[in-house]
Amino acid sequence: MHTNFTPEEQNFEQEVQAFFKDKYPNDIKRKQDHAVPLMKEDFIRWQKVLFAQGWAAINWPVEYGGTGWSTVQKYIFANEMAKANAPAIVPFGLGMVGPVIYTYGNEEQKQRFLPDIAASNVWWCQGYSEPGSGSDLASLKTRADRDGNEYILNGTKTWTTLGQMADWIFCLVRTSSDVARKQEGISFILVDMKTPGVSVRPIITIEGDHEVNEVHFEDVRVPLNNLIGEEGKGWTYGKVLLQHERTSIAGVARSEYRLNRLKDKIKNANMTQPSLQNDSNFLRKIAALEIELKALEYTELRTLAAVSVGKAPGPESSLLKIRGTEIQQCLDELFMEAAGYFSLPYVPNQYSLESKEINHVGFGSDSVSSLQYFNNRKASIYGGSNEIQKNIIAKHVLGL
Ligand SMILES: Cc1cc2nc3c(=O)[nH]c(=O)nc-3n(C[C@H](O)[C@H](O)[C@H](O)COP(=O)(O)OP(=O)(O)OC[C@H]3O[C@@H](n4cnc5c(N)ncnc54)[C@H](O)[C@@H]3O)c2cc1C
């Protein structure tokens, strides 16, 4: 418990703790605790539990099904969620396209899309990046040409996370090339993945997982009323979304949970595991990380306070993204170091929950630390690479 919480906030904290104790499904928790990859059904079932409680659309306005929570309540919730090791909400619907639709969409679009997003009935993915257009996103080439009441889309999106599971994709596309700046003439369009001409091809990442994809559009016909806001203004909407994305990527509460697990691991080291309890160099690294994490927590709280009074997170979202992901990757390294050679043999098929026991190779969960390490190389790339975030800070904070 936080000593500065008011009695009401303390009650809320207890309510949230009770919720995670009673309502967080045991089988999903077991998978999470043993680093077994979750299936789409697991995510949806969990998000529906949150929805039934009224706690899925945390940041949305109350009129669209949001919680109306204060910054402190959101902070408490994020912390308890991390402590319970519950799955993070998949961001594409609730965290990304939902806010764009309720902010810039028309009434018909709000009614058509928001209830299904809130209830996790529809799975979304994000179609921004293209081959050759990642950091320089405004150079994107996927075209949407008007034809009567429809747009015709042609082009390729890449790195589309969980696109293989998605029902809908929100895209930034070029609707005009006759522009003074390349940021103009880009539009924000929603596409049903079942539309003829949409195809998804897997990209297998370094740790052997299928998390990202290429999405191809070949003469895909999309109704004009799937355009959000004004044609040609998609860059503005897409940028707001990215700032929210970067703030959430920081993952402070989740890193605190992992840091505590690392400390427990060292305290409980036994004969079969290399003892780090007396390794002053290793303990120093943990202490340094903990100080960095505490500092980041306060920066995040300041940002959340601004967001809760209606401000979009500005360049501070870039600060949060850089430090948050550096800390996550430092944790990955420390877990690998703590596990020593036990971290090496990661064999995905070992993680079958059909048997009663989870058969890890090596020493307990140590053998997934390499999976986590390789998978999380992405954190300093996605949501806009950390180098690009440094450019944003140089321009908008330092004025260079
Ligand atoms: C696992 C994963 C999931 C992703 N999920 C999605 C998704 O769901 N949807 C989506 O749209 N995108 C997604 N992305 C794409 C992600 O946003 C891009 O990878 C990212 O923006 C970098 O673009 P790029 O890969 O084209 O690299 P590039 O832009 O080619 O950059 C290559 C390198 O050059 C550096 N660099 C480039 N320009 C500059 C500059 N001006 N100054 C300094 N350094 C520079 C970069 O930092 C990087 O290190 C995902 C990426 C990954 C890795």
Side-chain angles (χ1 to χ4, degrees), residues 201-343:
R201 290 183 207 154
I203 300 173
I204 304 301
T205 41
I206 192 168
E207 80 284 11
D209 210 356
H210 177 195
E211 189 175 287
V212 285
N213 302 273
E214 269 187 8
V215 178
H216 298 264
F217 300 101
E218 232 180 290
D219 291 332
V220 176
R221 291 189 163 268
V222 178
L224 287 190
N225 63 7
N226 285 11
L227 169 80
I228 297 293
E230 268 181 70
E231 192 178 274
K233 293 280 191 298
W235 186 255
T236 309
Y237 314 148
K239 227 171 42 178
V240 171
L241 181 155
L242 280 176
Q243 286 167 341
H244 285 283
E245 181 185 5
R246 284 168 195 153
T247 306
S248 66
I249 287 174
V252 174
R254 197 74 51 181
S255 288
E256 272 172 2
Y257 169 80
R258 292 186 70 211
L259 180 64
N260 287 331
R261 276 189 67 172
L262 183 62
K263 288 201 233 165
D264 288 346
K265 185 181 174 63
I266 293 162
K267 270 192 225 134
N268 302 326
N270 62 30
M271 294 295 284
T272 52
Q273 209 171 11
S275 172
L276 291 162
Q277 281 173 16
N278 303 317
D279 183 335
S280 56
N281 187 37
F282 191 77
L283 298 180
R284 184 192 55 74
K285 288 185 204 170
I286 291 190
L289 186 74
E290 189 158 12
I291 293 165
E292 292 290 346
L293 190 53
K294 200 36 89 185
L296 186 69
E297 184 185 343
Y298 284 99
T299 308
E300 187 184 46
L301 277 172
R302 279 202 308 274
T303 310
L304 287 177
V307 171
S308 70
V309 293
K311 293 185 188 156
E316 55 273 43
S317 65
S318 300
L319 293 167
L320 286 169
K321 204 252 159 178
I322 296 171
R323 276 324 269 138
T325 53
E326 283 174 352
I327 287 171
Q328 288 163 27
Q329 293 183 337
C330 183
L331 270 164
D332 297 334
E333 285 164 23
L334 291 178
F335 268 102
M336 289 274 276
E337 197 174 333
Y341 57 75
F342 290 110
S343 68

Side-chain angles (χ1 to χ4, degrees), residues 92 125-130 132-137 157-162 205 211-212 245 375 378 380-388 391:
F92 307 109
C125 63
Q126 178 186 24
Y128 278 21
S129 307
E130 298 184 3
S133 299
S135 302
D136 183 16
L137 186 59
K157 295 292 174 182
T158 194
W159 304 119
T160 319
T161 302
L162 303 182
T205 41
E211 189 175 287
V212 285
E245 181 185 5
N375 179 276
K378 68 189 177 190
S380 44
I381 303 170
Y382 65 21
S385 74
N386 284 11
E387 289 79 14
I388 293 298
N391 288 349

Side-chain angles (χ1 to χ4, degrees), residues 173-192:
V173 293
R174 186 152 290 289
T175 39
S176 170
S177 305
D178 186 17
V179 289
R181 292 168 64 241
K182 62 186 172 187
Q183 287 79 3
E184 295 164 13
I186 291 176
S187 299
F188 194 102
I189 291 184
L190 313 180
V191 183
D192 184 339

Side-chain angles (χ1 to χ4, degrees), residues 38-59:
L38 300 188
M39 300 286 135
K40 178 178 177 179
E41 296 69 37
D42 297 322
F43 283 111
I44 290 178
R45 184 153 51 96
W46 170 231
Q47 288 182 192
K48 281 187 176 289
V49 172
L50 290 168
F51 175 68
Q53 182 77 9
W55 291 357
I58 293 162
N59 293 310

